[in-house]
Amino acid sequence: MPFGRKPNEFPSHLWTQCPSCNEMLFNKQLARNLNVCTKCDHHFRLGARERIELLVDKGSFHEHDAALTSGDPLGFTDSKPYPERIAAAQTKSGEKDAIITGEATIGDNPVILAVMDFEFMGGSMGTVVGEKITRAAERALAERRALVIVSASGGARMQEGTLALMQMAKILGALARLDQARLPYVSVITDPTTGGVLASYASLGDIIVAEPGALIRFSGERVTSGTVGEKLPTGFGKAEFLLERGFLDQIVPRPQLRERIGFFLTAFRAASQDLRWSL
Amino acid sequence: MLDRITGTKRTVEANGHLPVDANLITEPAQLASRVSAWEAVQAARNIQRPHTLDIVGRVFDRFHELHGDRGFRDDPAIVGGIADLDGRPVVIVGEQKGASTEENIARNFGMPHPEGYRKAMRLYRLAEKFHLPLITFIDTPGAYPGPEGEERGQAEAIAQSILLMARLQTPIVVVILGEGGSGGALALGVGDVVLAMQNAIYSVISPEGCAAILWRSPAEAERAAKAMRVSGPDLLELGVVDALIPEPAGGAHTDHAATAAAIRTALAAQLAKLERVPAADLMSARYERFRAFGALDEAGAAPPPPPPDSWWRRMMKRPSS
Ligand SMILES: [Zn+2]
């Protein structure tokens, strides 16, 4: 885990320093504690696979669209051609792109789950993320399941230009249909979620929850302070700030997420009387 | 049925020439010369360019502005109201830049706050309620990125605007007048027909922002603009816009009246077509229009597909009903 500084007596493959309380944490123990600091409850980032394991009923997850990978629609090159960046990210992460989708149950509620991975090109949203979330929403609609999306993203993927931007409209078209069909959508916002992901599906759940301390902002910190040239108050753009401003339903610590999501989904299903969205 | 709303180009393949009614440009080949992406950026940002209220004043016979989001304040960076075009009432919403530094300060350089998008949404709902077509004009460097915007839910306001446009049961024509800056533009950008001025741009991030991140220098903005393919002809090729509205030789800023006349012709033609389409068909065509964006490679299968066919082209290929 690439976090924090590492004094020599604490090799980083064994130890991680908590950026919040400075405690040196034994990596194995940190992982066992769901990447939450055992001393101060600081939430470290969590990979998509680990996240899925933590969220769903044991053994219930089946992945969809695992082979989808991005083309190079613009022929984009900066210091490196875009396809090389994709290939490098794939090699490094073992994943095809910045999201994993599939079906599962959460507290016995049938869901379609989409989980973003910030480690893959900053969790950026291009056509693969757009397509996989849209398919997830369409599948939820067809099978009358709930949709749960866990966001972690720096925003739209620049290398796919306006086609990345268009994914926001594409996904929201599918979410509109889900909403019209009275199927629940739960948005889980994790650290960090910014830009086009926050300005689309992450902000639209029937229920929106975030993890403690997560950075949640429309603009990058540099943009906001650079543009306005003023120092921002501490905690600005963190989950706790958004809760206070009215943009989140709850902040839910990681170990409680599965149970909490299950509670809401069960409640929605019960209230619909005819169990409409159950399978 | 659906091909009725594709409008100007549907007979191209049938009769082998380009019947470009409404003077729209639907193929880059129709342009005598192609400006570079950077020239387009500069043209789109030209302060002398006609902005939303100039255009609205010239295109529509009457216009009455409606103010405020009913919650916080009236955002001067977004204007809206009811206008009429040849006796046909429509709802207008547009981003508003200024024609001078002073005006730009008053208009926040066309960068809306959340309450601007909430005003837009109020007007979108008004259009739907009274079955009035909605016409939006995009012209913004982006949504205001400052702390007040964050505090009042900039991201939520944009997300809700996009969602509302996606489901709004009334015809929507979008015109990108100048700068189409990212999500702050898309909040006005989900339409049945998306038109752009010949020298307008549309991008996922400003060329300067992209350059700062990928090239680590805002000075590389010219390169970033080219790489992101932000110009009108690029957008046509990507299918992001359906057609370009031609500008006077020398650019829109040289002749506001002629620019407005071209927009008026285009709008009148699009509205006439859209208004005959049953709501259900309109909604499914709008869904499909945006659903089609994606250039994906199922691993092990074919090499990456070419850029998606534009919505116009796909529709044209369908046998007419
Ligand atoms: Zn700690």
Side-chain angles (χ1 to χ4, degrees), chain A residues 67-69 71 76 78 127 131 134-135 138 156 161-162 167 170 172-173 179-180 199-200 218-219 224 241 245 247, chain B residues 145 147 150-155 159-160 163 167 186 202 204 215 227 240 287 290-291 293-299:
Chain A
L68 276 188
T69 180
F76 194 100
D78 46 270
T127 48
E131 182 68 19
T134 304
R135 288 188 192 181
E138 288 175 340
T162 39
Q167 301 310 308
K170 169 169 140 182
L172 268 46
D179 184 50
Q180 268 153 354
S200 59
F218 174 62
S219 308
T224 306
F241 173 84
R245 294 287 152 173
F247 295 104
Chain B
E150 297 277 354
E151 271 187 305
R152 301 201 285 272
Q154 190 66 282
Q160 293 287 359
L163 182 74
R167 72 198 303 177
L186 186 61
Y202 200 4
V204 65
W215 281 271
V240 170
Y287 187 83
F290 288 91
R291 182 69 185 82
F293 292 114
L296 298 173
D297 181 15
E298 307 262 358

Side-chain angles (χ1 to χ4, degrees), chain B residues 243-254:
Chain B
L244 303 179
I245 301 174
E247 295 186 18
H253 65 282
T254 60

Side-chain angles (χ1 to χ4, degrees), chain B residues 226-279:
Chain B
K226 184 169 181 234
M228 290 196 294
R229 305 192 59 191
V230 302
S231 76
D234 289 328
L235 300 169
L236 258 189
E237 283 164 354
L238 294 168
V240 170
V241 306
D242 300 309
L244 303 179
I245 301 174
E247 295 186 18
H253 65 282
T254 60
D255 192 340
H256 290 200
T259 303
I263 294 173
R264 183 188 169 104
T265 309
L267 287 178
Q270 297 308 320
L271 288 180
K273 281 164 190 145
L274 289 173
E275 281 185 341
R276 292 197 301 269
V277 181

Side-chain angles (χ1 to χ4, degrees), chain A residues 208-227:
Chain A
I208 307 177
V209 299
E211 289 195 331
L215 178 78
I216 308 171
R217 303 174 50 147
F218 174 62
S219 308
E221 189 147 18
R222 200 169 36 82
V223 178
T224 306
S225 40
T227 307

